[in-house]
């Protein structure tokens, strides 16, 4: 068992573990070493992402993942910059940063761990919650159509926007590699298993 796996603090079966593993493998296979890369993240269940990979890491203020990643890229264009965010904050509370990052089109790889709910705050509906799903804030059912991050990214000018699935490991890793190699802004929306709350 690899040492970082002994220290996982997510719920058993959480897709975050596989996503981090895929990112680590992608860097390994692309020969991008730890001193050449940086990950930017902020609070959410997946926040710990940056702690499990040996790289430069920034855990920023609430909502500042993409602005911070932008500053890092502008300050040192040689670095491979990867920003991790989540559906509730990335597509809800702080969505405008996402739209402007697509428009700006800098070379940042943006991985969204999309578990279709606000998990850390214990199961509220997020922009990607399915229309019929029950959550704490939609006790009968959700009445809003889910947000389509791929279409929104493309409409905002992003030229690489793909969906992956945390249970399809090899496919997810290959999409992450493609996104890192794309020399402009790229979005990978990973549909993430969340056994504790995503029961649809
Ligand atoms: C300034 C501020 N506002 C709100 C919160 C509460 N908060 C913690 S995590 C989170 C979002 C969780 O949902 P999501 O972004 O989908 O991440 P997940 O936990 O599902 O991975 C929120 C709103 C906070 N920590 N700080
Ligand atoms: S609540 Fe969901 S997203 Fe959070 S650690 Fe548990 S399984 Fe993972
Ligand atoms: Mg979420």
């Amino acid at each position: 068992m690899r040492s970082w796996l002994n220290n996982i603090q997510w719920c058993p079966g959480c897709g975050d573990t596989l996503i981090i593993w895929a990112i680590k493998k992608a860097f390994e296979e692309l020969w991008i070493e730890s001193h050449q890369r940086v990950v930017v993240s902020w609070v959410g269940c997946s926040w710990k992402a940056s702690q499990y990979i040996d790289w430069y890491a920034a855990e920023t203020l609430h909502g500042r993942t993409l602005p911070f990643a932008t500053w890092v890229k502008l300050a040192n264009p040689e670095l491979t910059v990867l920003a991790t965010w989540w559906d509730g904050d990335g597509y809800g509370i702080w969505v405008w940063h996402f739209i402007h990052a697509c428009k700006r089109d800098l070379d940042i790889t943006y991985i969204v761990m999309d578990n279709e709910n606000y998990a850390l705050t214990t199961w509220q509906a997020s922009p990607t919650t399915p229309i019929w799903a029950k959550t704490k804030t939609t006790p009968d059912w959700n009445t809003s159509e889910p947000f389509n991050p791929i279409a929104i990214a493309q409409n905002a000018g992003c030229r690489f926007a793909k969906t992956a699935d945390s249970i399809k490991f090899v496919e997810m890793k290959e999409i992450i590699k493609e996104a890192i190699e794309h020399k402009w802004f790229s979005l990978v929306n990973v549909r993430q298993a969340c056994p504790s709350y995503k029961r649809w």
Side-chain angles (χ1 to χ4, degrees):
M1 178 77 65
R2 293 167 191 238
S3 56
W4 70 278
L5 284 173
N6 293 329
N7 192 27
I8 290 296
Q9 290 169 27
W10 291 308
C11 310
C14 176
D16 285 343
T17 310
L18 288 172
I19 300 170
I20 294 311
W21 204 337
I23 295 172
K24 286 163 87 71
K25 287 296 290 173
F27 279 134
E28 210 178 289
E29 290 175 18
L30 292 173
W31 296 91
I32 300 171
E33 294 178 31
S34 50
H35 67 281
Q36 298 169 309
R37 62 203 196 204
V38 61
V39 67
V40 184
S41 70
W42 109 270
V43 74
C45 276
S46 330
W47 189 21
K48 292 176 182 298
S50 51
Q51 297 169 18
Y52 293 122
I53 305 183
D54 59 329
W55 48 13
Y56 294 122
E59 290 167 0
T60 66
L61 296 175
H62 189 283
R64 298 297 187 246
T65 294
L66 283 174
F68 198 98
T70 301
W71 299 326
V72 172
K73 190 68 197 174
L74 290 175
N76 188 347
E78 298 300 313
L79 285 172
T80 296
V81 179
L82 192 140
T84 56
W85 219 347
W86 348 118
D87 51 300
D89 287 326
Y91 297 150
I93 307 172
W94 301 99
V95 66
W96 60 84
H97 291 314
F98 166 51
I99 291 166
H100 287 285
C102 291
K103 190 163 80 60
R104 222 172 273 124
D105 211 11
L106 291 178
D107 181 12
I108 293 169
T109 304
Y110 182 41
I111 312 269
V112 178
M113 304 185 188
D114 181 6
N115 55 12
E116 298 176 3
N117 77 100
Y118 286 79
L120 189 72
T121 48
T122 70
W123 199 36
Q124 292 83 20
S126 84
T128 52
T129 304
I131 190 161
W132 36 265
K134 263 190 183 187
T135 68
K136 229 183 228 176
T137 48
T138 55
D140 296 320
W141 59 80
N142 183 22
T143 54
S144 304
E145 286 287 351
F147 185 92
N148 180 340
I150 304 298
I152 289 173
Q154 287 166 341
N155 283 335
C158 174
R159 291 174 275 175
F160 185 110
K162 292 194 177 182
T163 296
D165 198 313
S166 68
I167 59 169
K168 296 182 184 161
F169 184 82
V170 175
E171 191 184 293
M172 165 172 64
K173 181 199 66 177
E174 289 304 318
I175 293 173
I176 292 172
K177 278 166 70 179
E178 268 182 73
I180 293 171
E181 287 186 304
H182 177 78
K183 290 296 158 208
W184 305 96
F185 187 79
S186 52
L187 165 71
V188 182
N189 186 74
V190 186
R191 283 202 301 269
Q192 181 214 317
C194 169
S196 297
Y197 295 121
K198 186 174 153 185
R199 300 180 190 130
W200 44 80

